[in-house]
Amino acid sequence: MKILHVCSELYPLLKTGGLADVTAALSNALVNLKCDARVIVPGFPAFMNGVTNKKLIQVMPEEFGVSIINLYYGTLPNSKVGVYIIDAKGLYDRSGNPYQDNQGIAYADNYRRFALLGYIAAKLAEGLDNEWKPQIVHGHDWHAGLTFAYLKAHEIQTGKKAARSVFTIHNLAYQGTFPKSIFDELNLPISFFDINGLEFYGNISFLKSGLFFADKLTTVSPTYAIEIQHGEQGCGFDGLLSKRKHDLVGILNGIDKDVWNPATDIVIDKKFSHRSMSGKLTCKTSLQKQLGLTVQNDVPLFVVVSRLAEQKGLNLILDEMPNLIKLGGQLVLLGSGDPKLEEAFRSLSKTYPKSISVKIGYDEEYAHQIIASSDVILVPSRYEPCGLTQLYGMTYGTLPVVHNVGGLADTVVDCSLENLDTGKASGFVFDQFSTTAFNAALRRAFALYKRRAEWKRVQKYAMGQDFSWDNPALQYFSLYKQLFTAG
Ligand code: ADP
Ligand code: GLC
């Protein structure tokens, strides 16, 4: 089966969050299922420089105000996944973040940058590459949203679908909203600016284009698939999504075991596995020494690896930090984002230098090291479509504390007495988004940590779970097959 993924991030070349991990790992997993899975991405410098065996396969005339567009094709490093790259002078060749400038302001021409991504993706489905044409076009998040409008426009024009289509919602809160005034530049039928189309409260939403026009919708956990059909989590799309509920399915993300595996991880101090855990203590001790934290093992070391954004509920951690310190706990944080949160965590680490270490920035290797070295990973998100760090935590025997929402609810089982009794507990889950509930979950973590035999049992269970992509990839594959056989 020939599948084209449309997205803006791809691990290890370009990543700002979990999207990159998923687009790469899912494509690889599909290749392992003997699919011909390829990806199309904008020509950001990371892709132009990082994709291997890159060949120019098409030169296109002016589109979207860009005089020449070169389409390259190559492969993702250390992988069999093919990658199309759209090289459009002036549009993508900017250093740094793919979506915003150095001041954190979204690029004013983002609509053009991501419209072109969707436009060329649809053209590939129409046969732009003489040697390869996808049967399924699978877009991710708002960046890929317009793909589905272009596919629909082609279908209306020719009376034939160029390909079947799937749109995955990784985060409904990012909607790719632009003023109506840019509509003329999109090269779409005027009738598409409609409530039954990509109009959203008088504006244009690229996300809505995906939600409305794709044949099937998926999101990254079963619970989030339900949450987004109602109220606040619907972010204004709850009506549309509940209308399309028979086309919407939640497929839980997996993790790439070649990248996240404590038994083979070359960047951690000492490898370990659920059969032989001594390496984990070696990692913890050396991290404490390296960071100038008190070297101790009688209380847990907590870790956070996160975008510092409202979504992630980090104010609960800030509020509870004095209590955590009073109980003897320590915290290692790696993150970047909201300058106010960056400053708040920096200043906490200055107040408690022996107990808190904060690194502001983005550091893939350090993320592995601190997750491997810690006992508990904190993921108190207000909402979380899936969440990957709690999965990384469990895989490395670092038990998660999570808010009972979205993918966190689907992946972590609380250490209640009954769950401990059945041997199915894997972390600490709190229901209400409040400091009181978060505090109680932290205290359960401290209490269990004192009961070492019990702690080890939970750790072993958490580490032994199958979070690989094998099962999710099969679910996507059978969804594609459904579409493909649907005539
Ligand atoms: P989201 O995509 O909403 O940010 P996820 O939990 O799905 O949340 O994925 C986050 C991904 O980004 C994980 O792979 C995590 O390890 C990584 N990550 C987040 N912040 C950093 C950082 N500062 N440095 C390195 N990796 C980070
Ligand atoms: C989004 C979500 C996160 C999810 C990731 C990958 O960034 O916020 O919950 O894990 O996409 O699907």
Side-chain angles (χ1 to χ4, degrees):
M1 190 183 297
K2 297 191 183 92
I3 303 142
L4 179 68
H5 288 274
V6 188
C7 59
S8 57
E9 299 186 27
L10 200 51
Y11 177 87
L13 299 178
L14 183 63
K15 164 168 166 180
T16 71
L19 173 67
D21 291 357
V22 172
T23 50
L26 172 59
S27 308
N28 276 311
L30 289 169
V31 167
N32 291 338
L33 288 177
K34 309 267 174 287
C35 293
D36 187 347
R38 302 187 179 190
V39 186
I40 181 164
V41 292
F44 299 130
F47 295 131
M48 290 301 288
N49 301 327
V51 165
T52 50
N53 305 317
K54 197 160 61 76
K55 279 193 216 78
L56 180 65
I57 57 160
Q58 280 283 347
V59 179
M60 299 174 67
E62 176 165 343
E63 300 280 5
F64 295 89
V66 182
S67 52
I68 291 186
I69 297 164
N70 292 323
L71 187 65
Y72 287 92
Y73 180 71
T75 34
L76 189 63
N78 305 318
S79 154
K80 290 191 180 122
V81 172
V83 184
Y84 291 96
I85 316 169
I86 306 162
D87 178 26
K89 284 275 164 289
L91 225 45
Y92 305 124
D93 43 345
R94 302 170 194 175
S95 62
N97 187 293
Y99 316 116
Q100 44 188 242
D101 65 19
N102 294 333
Q103 268 68 55
I105 313 232
Y107 292 119
D109 57 353
N110 270 349
Y111 69 90
R112 203 180 296 138
R113 301 168 84 223
F114 294 104
L116 184 65
L117 173 65
Y119 184 80
I120 306 275
K123 285 266 173 257
L124 277 172
E126 291 165 28
L128 178 66
D129 178 354
N130 303 329
E131 288 169 24
W132 193 84
K133 187 173 158 341
Q135 294 158 299
I136 302 284
V137 174
H138 183 163
H140 299 264
D141 271 356
W142 75 263
H143 323 110
L146 274 209
T147 311
F148 305 91
Y150 292 120
L151 286 172
K152 180 55 79 178
H154 176 266
E155 183 184 340
I156 292 171
Q157 208 178 26
T158 61
K160 242 176 67 199
K161 273 183 188 291
R164 310 282 145 170
S165 62
V166 177
F167 182 59
T168 295
I169 305 156
H170 294 263
N171 195 330
L172 200 67
Y174 296 85
Q175 306 184 336
T177 309
F178 302 100
K180 182 186 175 198
S181 53
I182 60 110
F183 187 80
D184 287 349
E185 290 184 58
L186 298 180
N187 207 357
L188 282 168
I190 185 68
S191 60
F192 280 26
F193 185 78
D194 189 80
I195 188 163
N196 292 312
L198 36 76
E199 186 272 340
F200 188 53
Y201 294 103
N203 290 317
I204 293 161
S205 162
F206 280 29
L207 183 79
K208 189 174 173 200
S209 166
L211 301 181
F212 190 82
F213 290 119
D215 294 330
K216 288 281 179 194
L217 304 175
T218 78
T219 188
V220 287
S221 70
T223 294
Y224 192 60
I226 294 165
E227 289 170 348
I228 56 180
Q229 294 179 42
H230 314 280
E232 208 186 324
Q233 289 315 322
C235 299
F237 292 116
D238 37 321
L240 172 56
L241 288 168
S242 54
K243 233 186 252 159
R244 294 209 63 191
K245 68 179 174 212
H246 299 298
D247 293 323
L248 169 65
V249 53
I251 301 177
L252 205 57
N253 286 332
I255 68 177
D256 187 338
K257 288 291 193 166
D258 291 335
V259 181
W260 291 93
N261 181 351
T264 55
D265 195 328
I266 51 167
V267 305
I268 63 177
D269 249 31
K270 189 107 204 271
K271 300 184 180 79
F272 57 91
S273 70
H274 68 275
R275 278 191 211 88
S276 159
M277 286 295 285
S278 64
K280 188 163 172 76
L281 181 57
T282 310
C283 291
K284 178 174 178 178
T285 310
S286 77
L287 184 75
Q288 286 168 327
K289 283 191 191 145
Q290 178 197 325
L291 300 179
L293 301 176
T294 308
V295 176
Q296 56 179 16
N297 192 36
D298 50 345
V299 278
L301 172 61
F302 294 81
V303 65
V304 174
V305 175
S306 184
R307 287 188 288 119
L308 301 184
E310 169 80 1
Q311 172 192 347
K312 300 295 178 179
L314 299 159
N315 60 309
L316 291 187
I317 301 179
L318 288 169
D319 290 348
E320 276 309 307
M321 229 34 237
N323 289 327
L324 192 141
I325 302 283
K326 228 183 273 159
L327 291 165
Q330 296 175 322
L331 174 77
V332 182
L333 177 139
L334 168 65
S336 63
D338 180 348
K340 281 207 199 83
L341 286 169
E342 290 184 353
E343 190 39 44
F345 280 109
R346 254 202 217 104
S347 119
L348 262 181
S349 70
K350 283 186 198 132
T351 314
Y352 305 104
K354 294 270 172 216
S355 308
I356 304 183
S357 171
V358 167
K359 179 165 175 173
I360 301 299
Y362 191 89
D363 186 337
E364 193 75 29
E365 288 193 1
Y366 189 63
H368 282 241
Q369 288 156 357
I370 62 179
I371 289 175
S373 307
S374 302
D375 303 296
V376 180
I377 185 159
L378 301 176
V379 195
S381 311
R382 289 169 193 276
Y383 73 93
E384 195 62 77
C386 179
L388 296 174
T389 56
Q390 83 280 11
L391 303 179
Y392 299 148
M394 285 187 274
T395 306
Y396 283 67
T398 305
L399 303 183
V401 171
V402 302
H403 183 203
N404 197 10
V405 286
L408 302 174
D410 290 337
T411 52
V412 183
V413 177
D414 184 58
C415 282
S416 64
L417 283 177
E418 57 274 31
N419 292 333
L420 286 171
D421 197 43
T422 53
K424 296 273 186 257
S426 57
F428 310 92
V429 182
F430 60 98
D431 291 333
Q432 295 301 320
F433 187 81
S434 69
T435 45
T436 316
F438 182 54
N439 175 278
L442 290 179
R443 299 220 331 259
R444 286 208 296 290
F446 276 99
L448 192 76
Y449 193 74
K450 283 190 202 135
R451 294 156 173 78
R452 282 310 171 92
E454 201 75 71
W455 182 272
K456 285 190 179 137
R457 258 198 299 281
V458 176
Q459 225 177 9
K460 198 167 175 172
Y461 173 71
M463 293 173 84
Q465 296 177 96
D466 178 12
F467 291 126
S468 74
W469 269 99
D470 298 348
N471 187 27
L474 278 174
Q475 291 182 59
Y476 280 108
F477 185 62
S478 78
L479 181 74
Y480 299 150
K481 269 207 308 213
Q482 266 178 43
L483 278 172
F484 193 32
T485 49

